[in-house]
Amino acid sequence: QKEVEQNSGPLSVPEGAIASLNCTYSDRGSQSFFWYRQYSGKSPELIMSIYSNGDKEDGRFTAQLNKASQYVSLLIRDSQPSDSATYLCADTKAAGNKLTFGGGTRVLVKP
Amino acid sequence: EAGVAQSPRYKIIEKRQSVAFWCNPISGHATLYWYQQILGQGPKLLIQFQNNGVVDDSQLPKDRFSAERLKGVDSTLKIQPAKLEDSAVYLCASSLGASLTTDTQYFGPGTRLTVL
């Protein structure tokens, strides 16, 4: 079992719709969770971090964490073609700050 | 503020050859990371430095990979000898400190390695 799992996609959403991305993790000791965006041929960039159960909103992005169910999700509201990218979920374990990434979900926003 | 610099951006070598990648982190960043990203996968941490000391190298294939950060600033990652499965993008990242809950990790543009 992979430590951090994501559906590889592609997730196709129409412009203006909500894109919903899910990520599950296997280690109950995972403490912190991150969402990175990676455009094709570019390096990852941090868009959201979440540490506590519940929702965290930042602009059009909302991260949701449920530690009991061991999943973290990312909602992108009012999706734009510029949101088309691969979204990487990552966690860190209790003991340190090493990021473990999932394989990423490719999102395609169609005009 | 300048970002993380890496060179070269692209490298093509034949299997069993050697290759080295260079990284210059953001000024003042004490923590430096090297990741391997195989096409279609997420980045995998190879080695983490705190200043010039190794914090984590548990996933570094030490029989062929080596890395150093001698003066706590620039870093070099070397592969010797290269295998076909080493074809990947090698990403360098840096953060101000060691805690990712307070310090954002910034990635460089990466070096795309193709082993023929």
Side-chain angles (χ1 to χ4, degrees):
Chain A
Q1 181 186 14
K2 292 181 180 178
E3 294 185 59
V4 179
E5 292 208 58
Q6 300 180 252
N7 188 316
S8 61
L11 175 66
S12 184
V13 296
E15 184 174 357
I18 296 175
S20 178
L21 293 75
N22 294 316
C23 171
T24 58
Y25 59 95
S26 61
D27 190 338
R28 286 197 171 276
S30 295
Q31 294 270 308
S32 307
F33 303 87
F34 304 83
W35 284 100
Y36 282 79
R37 178 176 61 200
Q38 187 172 28
Y39 292 113
S40 181
K42 302 295 184 183
S43 56
E45 55 179 335
L46 180 67
I47 51 174
M48 290 284 292
S49 59
I50 186 165
Y51 314 124
S52 305
N53 279 329
D55 297 359
K56 180 181 178 182
E57 187 174 316
D58 184 358
R60 296 186 295 111
F61 298 99
T62 299
Q64 299 172 318
L65 174 61
N66 184 322
K67 289 189 175 182
S69 300
Q70 294 179 243
Y71 82 81
V72 57
S73 62
L74 181 70
L75 301 177
I76 308 173
R77 290 183 300 282
D78 187 24
S79 295
Q80 300 297 308
S82 59
D83 294 325
S84 297
T86 295
Y87 290 80
L88 297 162
C89 173
D91 72 356
T92 61
K93 303 298 184 288
N97 51 35
K98 167 182 160 180
L99 282 175
T100 301
F101 284 90
T105 298
R106 188 166 153 238
V107 173
L108 294 173
V109 181
K110 296 185 176 181
Chain B
E1 179 181 74
V4 178
Q6 290 187 247
S7 68
R9 293 294 313 279
Y10 304 92
K11 190 73 177 179
I12 300 174
I13 62 173
E14 295 190 350
K15 59 183 179 183
R16 292 188 289 274
Q17 286 187 324
S18 302
V19 64
F21 313 127
W22 174 82
C23 172
N24 182 239
I26 293 172
S27 178
H29 280 196
T31 311
L32 185 146
Y33 313 80
W34 282 103
Y35 289 88
Q36 179 193 59
Q37 186 173 25
I38 293 171
L39 187 65
Q41 299 182 19
K44 181 181 83 172
L45 179 69
L46 293 176
I47 189 166
Q48 177 183 341
F49 292 96
Q50 181 70 22
N51 296 307
N52 61 350
V54 175
V55 174
D56 188 326
D57 64 356
S58 57
Q59 298 190 97
L60 185 73
K62 298 180 184 64
D63 57 334
R64 298 184 301 107
F65 286 63
S66 64
E68 59 184 14
R69 193 184 185 199
L70 290 175
K71 296 182 179 180
V73 180
D74 294 6
S75 178
T76 304
L77 177 70
K78 296 180 181 177
I79 307 175
Q80 181 178 13
K83 293 185 175 181
L84 296 176
E85 59 261 36
D86 297 332
S87 294
V89 175
Y90 290 83
L91 294 162
C92 180
S94 71
S95 59
L96 189 63
S99 172
L100 294 178
T101 57
T102 56
D103 301 318
T104 300
Q105 190 173 134
Y106 297 92
F107 285 85
T111 296
R112 183 177 297 276
L113 173 67
T114 301
V115 182
L116 303 176

